[in-house]
Amino acid sequence: MAAAVTRRINASLHVEATGNSAADGEIRRDSAAAYSPAAKRINDAKDSDVWVAVQEGDMPGDSTQALLFLTMKVKGSILHPYRFVILLRLIAVFAFFIWRIQHRNHDGVWLWFMSMVGDVWFGFSWVLNQLPKLNPTKRVPNITAIRDKYESSTSGESKLPGIDVFVTTVDPVDEPILYTVNSILSILATDYPVEKYACYLSDDGGTLVHYEAMFEVANFAKLWVPFCRKHCIEPRAPENYFGVKRQPYMGSMQEEFMSDHRRVRREYEEFKVRIDSLFNTIYQRSETYNRKNTKDGVKATWIADGTQWPGTWIEQAENHRKGQHAGIVKVILNHPSRKPQLGPPASIDNPFDFSNVDMRLPMLVYLSREKRPGYNHQKKAGAMNAMLRVSALLSNAPFLINFDCDHYINNSQAFRAAMCFMLDPRDGQNTAFVQFPQRFDDVDPTDRYANHNRVFFDGTMLSLNGLQGPSYLGTGTMFRRAALYGMEPPRWRADTIKVISKAKEFGESTLFINSMIDGANQERSITPIFLEESVNNELSTLMTCAYEDGTPWGRDVGWVYNIATEDVVTGFRMHRQGWRSIYCSIEPAAFRGTAPINLTERLLQVLRWSGGSLEMFFSHSNAFLAGPRMQHLQRIAYLNMSTYPIVTIFILAYNLFPVMWLISEQFYIQRPFGPYILYLIIIIAMIHVIGMFEVKWASITLLDWCRNEQFYMIGATGVYPTAVLYMALKLITGKGIHFRLTSKQTEACSNDKFADLYVVRWVPLLIPTIAVLVVNVAAVGVAIGKAAIWGLFTEQAQHAMLGMVFNVWILVLLYPFALGIMGQWGKKPAILFILQLTSISTVAIMYVTFRTIYPSDWSEIATSLGKAELVSGSSGRK
């Protein structure tokens, strides 16, 4: 089954055609073609009409020091009107509240009071969301400057600091192994001094297939990496590179490129066959060995060298199952020498001419931490902390960058781009992490479920960039190792770092504690270590379940535990200590990954995020508890991140309120109804005007903005209220919330790469939104029926039609959801419109028929049935 899954995702990994261009000697691809049509950005010429360069921070005392990045702000001609409209809307909201208090609805005080509470929370949450957006800032790395400063063009020697690259995976089926090997290959081939970085794969499932896949990767990398260096290949993940239809050549050996390309592609296809067959190969090998070793009575999983695999077995047994296995550290590729090693020239046996290409490969390490029953292993956060400790003994780079296994390096200059911010002479030493935006391949062309999330990545993140910095988003992030150790930023600490006095906080490993001072030195490169027996013993100790017992690991040190959104909370801890962060968006995108295009998987993903946000609010990471080192607007931004699901309780109530309109002919939240609707139209329209300003300075499209509005409503009617319910149950029962891993499997095949978009996976999470759809369709039908009975120009009919505008608006926002639950029928949107029109017409005819038979007011009928308490308001017509 696993092999079949791997085959199915082959086609889905391809990306759309991209073009290439060169600027300042750097390799660049045409960014306009790098994204799907739903996510195309406004070109650089238009950006120049929005952004203007400004001076940031104190200039270095030495005027010869080059600045490594450029800071840009939104032009005043856009920023000042944007802020003015925000102020006008704030005034309008206050005026609306005052008007509502002055015109209290005495016929239905309970309903009026509830709606007032909801509107006050709407206003409060809008303020929390809007205030941090007042100063959007863009920072552009200067890669030419960092090359000039840290890399010698004559000697070839580099003074860039070392980087440890972390990749995490769990399950080779839910996270297809082809994604993982492409991620590793892109890292091994990236354009950064090869002796300056190391790559670590954490396999939290402890499966042999991941381990043996790394050997296959190491063998294929001996061909793939020199090929990329020789011909300046972009991107450097082979599946994505060979999936590009147009491949403009950017190297200097075009006469050799076609033959090299053809041979490498053939080798890659054979490599995929070997990866795909690993499941079968391991199973058959294990069966053969087990037949020869029947005395134990267990069916072990065997490595190719004839030894039993210490991790999880195919047929799980004691000490060899998920959640119970030994720790494993295997160095697949040793640390390279410092001097370049040129390859051989072309020959009869070797058709590739690599005589002018450095053949060295960076260090590659496979590890799987120990797992034992009775321990909370803390999912990804626990794996990252184990990797943090192990890497300190093997390479101990002062900087590290982490990836999910489905992300790959799309721009080989990405590491240098991040270093521009870490090493800048102005305030680089106080920068804890650099966050890159998340970009995705194979999202459906219209981005039905807002997977690109451009409003957040290109709007909200640029806004936070003008404060203390963006939040940590879990992948595509470069960290300063010292910040992960919980050390304070230089601006808030003494000149020297003292960790010996606090050694017990970091565990009992002397080697690890002694490595911390070196790991905090940003000038440090990678120093290879000899794996002696004492070092191996220390590595085993660092990965044990009990190592962190009685230490602050998971709270004040490393990635934070006991929360679904460990990424946001880890970044929050650093900001609370006074560190800053930087948002870096480059073209082409630094990294790209995959996103779930199936409705259910997407909703479950958002449920985990929203549930984790609420957990953050009810924890020691509450924004109110942050110390004075956190900026005020940064605190407000974190408060918004941790409370946004709460407002959706009122949104869900408003969306279901039309049920009451079906009971009573006159049921008003507020009187007089006309001015109330007018206020709402003005306030909502002003939100959209503000949104258009954000579309302008964030360089996103109207489709991006519309999809964001639609998916927010989809989440607000089902996912976010569920997260609030889960959080309430956790507070009452004390039991944690279990959120399952987002599956990256796909049903896609070569004929339809978006087949997963039309698969319906029914879960209870869909029910509330379906109820909202039904209620609002019925409300539109009833409104039309009322207009038909009373006459279009009567006051009652006009009020009904005004209410219908709200119902239609909700239906438009839920349009992607309606398509999603239609399954294969969703390929033909016309069917949805026909179904909705048929349903609305049926309800309208039923209403007219019923009113013809029972002409009295429905509230009188309800009273006669003894249910007058359900009806509020006068039963007589005005």
Side-chain angles (χ1 to χ4, degrees):
M1 174 184 173
V5 170
T6 306
R7 283 193 295 272
R8 284 203 303 271
I9 60 101
N10 287 355
S12 69
L13 281 172
H14 295 323
V15 295
E16 298 301 321
T18 56
N20 294 354
S21 62
D24 296 328
E26 301 167 22
I27 302 162
R28 289 291 182 267
R29 285 185 295 136
D30 179 14
S31 63
Y35 307 117
S36 65
K40 285 185 178 178
R41 303 185 64 181
I42 299 173
N43 59 38
D44 292 339
K46 292 184 178 180
D47 273 356
S48 64
D49 295 333
V50 177
W51 298 90
V52 59
V54 298
Q55 181 177 322
E56 178 184 12
D58 297 330
M59 301 300 290
D62 184 358
S63 59
T64 62
Q65 292 192 50
L67 302 183
L68 302 183
F69 67 87
L70 175 68
T71 303
M72 304 182 76
K73 301 279 188 179
V74 177
K75 286 186 174 181
S77 58
I78 297 174
L79 184 62
H80 298 323
Y82 171 66
R83 291 175 174 175
F84 181 69
V85 176
I86 292 173
L87 177 62
L88 283 182
R89 188 178 189 274
L90 185 62
I91 295 172
V93 168
F94 276 112
F96 176 59
F97 289 152
I98 293 172
W99 179 85
R100 289 206 65 186
I101 293 172
Q102 292 174 344
H103 297 80
R104 190 175 306 172
N105 188 358
H106 297 285
D107 292 332
V109 175
W110 66 272
L111 180 60
W112 177 87
F113 178 76
M114 289 177 62
S115 69
M116 273 296 296
V117 172
D119 286 348
V120 169
W121 192 265
F122 287 150
F124 175 68
S125 63
W126 173 77
V127 170
L128 291 183
N129 181 63
Q130 206 64 56
L131 283 180
K133 293 183 178 181
L134 296 177
N135 186 34
T137 303
K138 180 184 291 187
R139 294 184 175 91
V140 183
N142 188 339
I143 296 179
T144 301
I146 200 170
R147 282 183 181 276
D148 292 342
K149 183 174 181 179
Y150 289 92
E151 298 178 270
S152 172
S153 58
T154 55
S155 65
E157 183 180 353
S158 172
K159 296 181 181 179
L160 287 170
I163 302 174
D164 287 335
V165 186
F166 293 174
V167 181
T168 54
T169 187
V170 178
D171 191 296
V173 176
D174 281 341
E175 298 175 320
I177 196 168
L178 192 59
Y179 289 148
T180 305
V181 297
N182 270 271
S183 176
I184 300 295
L185 284 168
S186 73
I187 293 167
L188 298 181
T190 197
D191 187 6
Y192 198 78
V194 66
E195 73 279 7
K196 298 286 187 175
Y197 73 103
C199 179
Y200 294 82
L201 174 69
S202 171
D203 173 18
D204 225 25
T207 58
L208 180 56
V209 67
H210 277 127
Y211 174 67
E212 297 203 352
M214 290 305 100
F215 281 98
E216 293 291 347
V217 164
N219 287 329
F220 180 67
K222 295 175 183 177
L223 174 63
W224 173 249
V225 173
F227 170 70
C228 290
R229 292 172 181 165
K230 177 180 178 180
H231 296 292
C232 302
I233 299 301
E234 298 281 349
R236 299 194 175 182
E239 186 72 22
N240 305 86
Y241 170 71
F242 290 123
V244 174
K245 297 173 184 176
R246 292 176 55 231
Q247 299 171 332
Y249 185 69
M250 295 305 303
S252 57
M253 300 180 182
Q254 190 165 6
E255 65 280 356
E256 300 179 25
F257 173 70
M258 290 307 298
S259 60
D260 286 355
H261 180 278
R262 184 170 56 254
R263 293 187 180 100
V264 172
R265 181 160 193 167
R266 184 170 59 248
E267 291 289 337
Y268 177 63
E269 293 301 324
E270 294 176 3
F271 166 77
K272 285 201 296 183
V273 170
R274 294 194 297 272
I275 292 295
D276 195 47
S277 64
L278 278 177
F279 296 94
N280 254 352
T281 302
I282 293 171
Y283 177 79
Q284 292 174 3
R285 179 204 306 147
S286 299
E287 286 292 299
T288 302
Y289 277 110
N290 287 328
R291 282 194 293 268
K292 298 177 182 178
N293 297 270
T294 57
K295 59 180 180 179
D296 295 334
V298 295
K299 290 189 174 183
T301 298
W302 295 79
I303 310 176
D305 62 7
T307 60
Q308 292 185 359
W309 174 241
T312 303
W313 288 352
I314 297 172
E315 295 192 19
Q316 299 183 14
E318 189 73 14
N319 294 321
H320 295 283
R321 58 167 58 100
K322 289 184 178 180
Q324 185 184 12
H325 59 78
I328 308 166
V329 178
K330 300 287 186 180
V331 178
I332 310 297
L333 291 172
N334 288 313
H335 195 280
S337 63
R338 293 190 174 275
K339 294 184 178 180
Q341 296 177 355
L342 300 182
S347 64
I348 297 176
D349 298 329
N350 174 37
F352 298 97
D353 182 7
F354 291 146
S355 56
N356 292 315
V357 181
D358 189 357
M359 301 294 289
R360 291 177 300 163
L361 298 175
M363 185 179 187
L364 175 62
V365 180
Y366 169 93
L367 65 93
S368 181
R369 60 188 170 131
E370 180 192 49
K371 287 191 173 181
R372 297 298 174 198
Y375 282 90
N376 184 348
H377 299 108
Q378 301 293 344
K379 301 184 177 67
K380 178 181 175 180
M384 296 292 285
N385 284 338
M387 208 159 18
L388 181 64
R389 295 190 294 268
V390 168
S391 65
L393 265 59
L394 294 180
S395 50
N396 202 25
F399 299 97
L400 55 92
I401 186 165
N402 79 288
F403 295 101
D404 289 342
C405 65
D406 62 324
H407 279 65
Y408 65 90
I409 297 178
N410 185 61
N411 185 333
S412 62
Q413 300 300 315
F415 288 5
R416 284 187 176 85
M419 280 300 174
C420 288
F421 304 105
M422 292 294 195
L423 303 178
D424 188 82
R426 286 166 291 185
D427 203 26
Q429 62 181 351
N430 290 301
T431 301
F433 62 91
V434 176
Q435 178 65 61
F436 289 88
Q438 295 180 19
R439 307 299 191 201
F440 303 106
D441 296 327
D442 296 319
V443 174
D444 54 295
T446 60
D447 193 13
R448 181 187 290 180
Y449 304 127
N451 279 291
H452 287 302
N453 207 0
R454 291 281 180 161
V455 173
F456 176 76
F457 288 120
D458 295 342
T460 303
M461 288 290 102
L462 286 178
S463 301
L464 295 178
N465 212 25
L467 305 177
Q468 204 169 337
S471 57
Y472 168 39
L473 302 178
T475 184
T477 314
M478 177 175 283
F479 283 100
R480 188 178 297 273
R481 186 178 284 267
L484 283 168
Y485 285 158
M487 299 176 185
E488 295 181 329
R491 66 157 62 98
W492 293 105
R493 71 172 182 237
D495 292 337
T496 58
I497 302 174
K498 297 179 180 180
V499 297
I500 303 302
S501 61
K502 298 182 179 180
K504 294 291 183 181
E505 293 186 3
F506 303 101
E508 299 295 334
S509 172
T510 304
L511 278 179
F512 171 68
I513 293 170
N514 292 339
S515 73
M516 295 178 66
I517 298 294
D518 288 338
N521 178 12
Q522 74 170 24
E523 303 296 332
R524 186 179 185 278
S525 182
I526 291 179
T527 303
I529 188 170
F530 295 102
L531 292 179
E532 301 172 348
E533 185 177 351
S534 59
V535 176
N536 284 325
N537 291 337
E538 286 290 310
L539 289 173
S540 299
T541 300
L542 291 171
M543 289 193 298
T544 58
C545 299
Y547 183 83
E548 297 177 355
D549 291 351
T551 71
W553 280 96
R555 180 181 174 112
D556 300 320
V557 182
W559 277 261
V560 177
Y561 291 162
N562 299 313
I563 193 166
T565 50
E566 77 288 332
D567 46 4
V568 176
V569 178
T570 301
F572 170 83
R573 188 193 69 209
M574 296 176 183
H575 285 141
R576 182 174 59 189
Q577 289 180 296
W579 290 97
R580 65 179 293 196
S581 60
I582 299 291
Y583 189 65
C584 176
S585 180
I586 60 177
E587 296 295 351
F591 317 114
R592 297 184 75 87
T594 61
I597 62 173
N598 178 266
L599 175 61
T600 302
E601 290 296 332
R602 177 75 166 118
L603 293 179
L604 290 173
Q605 180 187 59
V606 176
L607 176 62
R608 179 170 61 86
W609 294 342
S610 54
S613 295
L614 291 171
E615 286 182 315
M616 179 180 176
F617 182 77
F618 291 100
S619 72
H620 64 277
S621 297
N622 188 302
F624 288 121
L625 303 180
R629 296 181 185 179
M630 181 175 285
Q631 296 179 11
H632 295 307
L633 288 181
Q634 188 77 21
R635 189 190 308 266
I636 290 175
Y638 274 114
L639 184 61
N640 179 55
M641 290 180 206
S642 58
T643 60
Y644 71 89
I646 298 176
V647 72
T648 59
I649 297 175
F650 302 106
I651 293 177
L652 180 61
Y654 269 114
N655 287 340
L656 293 175
F657 179 73
V659 169
M660 298 182 181
W661 297 347
L662 309 181
I663 299 172
S664 175
E665 302 297 351
Q666 295 185 8
F667 205 112
Y668 298 108
I669 295 176
Q670 181 73 52
R671 294 174 184 272
F673 192 63
Y676 172 68
I677 292 295
L678 182 61
Y679 263 114
L680 288 180
I681 291 174
I682 292 174
I683 290 174
I684 292 174
M686 293 180 76
I687 277 189
H688 295 328
V689 172
I690 293 170
M692 292 305 100
F693 277 103
E694 293 174 357
V695 165
K696 178 68 175 177
W697 60 253
S699 299
I700 59 178
T701 67
L702 283 175
L703 181 59
D704 293 326
W705 182 77
C706 291
R707 287 299 192 225
N708 181 77
E709 295 291 301
Q710 289 176 319
F711 196 77
Y712 178 78
M713 184 58 68
I714 293 171
T717 53
V719 176
Y720 301 150
T722 303
V724 173
L725 177 61
Y726 280 1
M727 193 65 234
L729 292 175
K730 180 179 180 180
L731 293 174
I732 294 171
T733 64
K735 295 182 179 179
I737 306 171
H738 174 71
F739 298 105
R740 76 172 181 83
L741 177 73
T742 302
S743 175
K744 297 177 177 67
Q745 287 189 43
T746 174
E747 302 293 334
C749 60
S750 57
N751 295 327
D752 187 359
K753 65 187 293 186
F754 303 122
D756 216 39
L757 188 68
Y758 308 108
V759 176
V760 183
R761 296 168 186 161
W762 292 102
V763 291
L765 196 62
L766 302 176
I767 295 175
T769 310
I770 292 175
V772 171
L773 267 175
V774 172
V775 166
N776 283 274
V777 166
V780 173
V782 169
I784 294 174
K786 288 181 179 180
I789 291 175
W790 290 333
L792 188 60
F793 299 103
T794 61
E795 183 181 7
Q796 293 92 335
Q798 290 174 359
H799 287 176
M801 299 306 288
L802 284 174
M804 188 185 75
V805 173
F806 170 81
N807 304 129
V808 172
W809 178 52
I810 296 300
L811 293 178
V812 170
L813 291 177
L814 296 181
Y815 168 73
F817 177 87
L819 283 179
I821 61 175
M822 288 175 62
Q824 294 294 327
W825 294 103
K827 294 181 179 181
K828 301 176 181 179
I831 295 177
L832 175 61
F833 289 107
I834 293 172
L835 285 174
Q836 287 186 333
L837 290 175
T838 303
S839 302
I840 290 170
S841 301
T842 302
V843 172
I845 293 171
M846 290 175 62
Y847 178 84
V848 172
T849 303
F850 191 85
R851 288 287 289 146
T852 302
I853 299 173
Y854 301 100
S856 58
D857 195 319
W858 283 24
S859 60
E860 295 177 9
I861 297 174
T863 303
S864 68
L865 294 175
K867 298 180 180 178
E869 69 275 10
L870 296 177
V871 182
S872 178
S874 174
S875 62
R877 296 190 182 89
K878 292 183 179 180

